[in-house]
Amino acid sequence: MRHHLPQHVVKHVSRNLRFFKGLVSQPKTVGAIVPTSVYMARRMASVANPASSLSVLELGPGTGVVTKALLRRGIDPKKLVSVEYSPEFCAHLKRELPQINLVQGDAFRLQETLGDLNKNHFDCVISGIPLLNFPVETRVALLEDLLNRIPKGRPVLQFSYGPVSPIPAGHGHYTVKRFGWEIRNIPPAQMWMYRRPD
């Protein structure tokens, strides 16, 4: 039956099956019921600067929808560092996108997870981590760590399914701004931008 289906349908079904496998095996690390839509992925990737001399740090790439959007935007695969916790998603990404810098590990412990890349600075951070699954103090600590790794004024971009920012204002030296709302995502999601003031 597979041979009678259009190739894009086969890829879509395969991606969803991988996603559901990751959801069942590690529910706390997966924050959605289906993978990120290409529309939201494109919007999130739009904040990355392909002309920057710095790499982009991506957290929680999952099945790689945002990762591919970053590459389509013109980010050099050698300058894309993607940190993924799930072994299943990592195995998939290694097959699909062997040219990127894929690191398996815990984004909340980046100093250990990044290893030799820990001292690198990045142009921006694109995050798909399901922050609402973690305590507020853990979210704030992660954001502070991320903002220390990028130039002042450059963004940490996070999407969330909650009605308000998953990292509240007033807990540190950063600004919070809603970047957009994507109704074509399932479920609809908001994107939030965090920056250190210039």
Side-chain angles (χ1 to χ4, degrees), residues 64-112:
V65 180
V66 176
T67 316
K68 290 174 183 175
L70 287 164
L71 297 175
R72 282 193 296 272
R73 177 154 174 79
I75 301 301
D76 184 335
K78 295 175 184 172
K79 290 170 61 179
L80 178 55
V81 178
S82 298
V83 176
E84 174 56 53
Y85 187 80
S86 163
E88 289 85 2
F89 288 154
C90 278
H92 164 69
L93 289 167
K94 284 177 183 177
R95 289 191 302 270
E96 289 272 308
L97 302 167
Q99 68 274 39
I100 68 170
N101 293 297
L102 178 64
V103 182
Q104 183 177 349
D106 188 347
F108 292 95
R109 302 175 69 178
L110 279 178
Q111 184 170 348
E112 298 171 21

Side-chain angles (χ1 to χ4, degrees), residues 4 13 22 43-44 50 59 64 67 78 101 112 135-136 146-147 160 165-167 186 195:
H4 300 292
V13 171
R43 184 78 193 277
M44 293 185 75
L59 304 181
T67 316
K78 295 175 184 172
N101 293 297
E112 298 171 21
V136 171
L146 296 175
L147 289 170
S160 177
S165 168
I167 306 175
I186 301 175
R195 289 188 174 112

Side-chain angles (χ1 to χ4, degrees), residues 15-35 63 86 88-89 130 133:
R15 187 179 74 214
N16 284 344
L17 288 174
R18 280 188 295 272
F19 183 84
F20 289 127
K21 181 179 178 184
L23 177 60
V24 169
S25 65
Q26 294 173 324
K28 191 174 181 181
T29 65
V30 180
I33 55 172
V34 295
T63 58
S86 163
E88 289 85 2
F89 288 154
N133 291 344

Side-chain angles (χ1 to χ4, degrees), residues 32-196:
I33 55 172
V34 295
T36 303
S37 74
V38 295
Y39 306 105
M40 192 164 75
R42 190 180 304 132
R43 184 78 193 277
M44 293 185 75
S46 72
V47 304
N49 179 9
S52 173
S53 61
L54 299 174
S55 297
V56 171
L57 179 61
E58 180 190 20
L59 304 181
T63 58
V65 180
V66 176
T67 316
K68 290 174 183 175
L70 287 164
L71 297 175
R72 282 193 296 272
R73 177 154 174 79
I75 301 301
D76 184 335
K78 295 175 184 172
K79 290 170 61 179
L80 178 55
V81 178
S82 298
V83 176
E84 174 56 53
Y85 187 80
S86 163
E88 289 85 2
F89 288 154
C90 278
H92 164 69
L93 289 167
K94 284 177 183 177
R95 289 191 302 270
E96 289 272 308
L97 302 167
Q99 68 274 39
I100 68 170
N101 293 297
L102 178 64
V103 182
Q104 183 177 349
D106 188 347
F108 292 95
R109 302 175 69 178
L110 279 178
Q111 184 170 348
E112 298 171 21
T113 298
L114 287 175
D116 293 341
L117 299 172
N118 181 54
K119 294 186 178 179
N120 285 22
H121 273 74
F122 300 92
D123 166 63
C124 64
V125 180
I126 312 292
S127 174
I129 294 175
L131 289 181
L132 295 179
N133 291 344
F134 299 90
V136 171
E137 58 270 21
T138 303
R139 304 176 214 169
V140 172
L142 173 64
L143 177 60
E144 292 286 358
D145 182 22
L146 296 175
L147 289 170
N148 288 336
R149 297 174 184 274
I150 62 177
K152 283 185 179 180
R154 292 300 291 147
V156 171
L157 190 66
Q158 171 73 47
F159 77 83
S160 177
Y161 300 106
V164 297
S165 168
I167 306 175
H171 288 256
H173 189 55
Y174 56 84
T175 62
V176 181
K177 179 182 176 183
R178 189 169 74 174
F179 182 65
W181 173 260
E182 183 51 72
I183 62 172
R184 291 170 292 185
N185 201 70
I186 301 175
Q190 295 190 80
M191 290 159 279
W192 297 91
M193 186 176 282
Y194 309 91
R195 289 188 174 112
R196 287 257 195 256

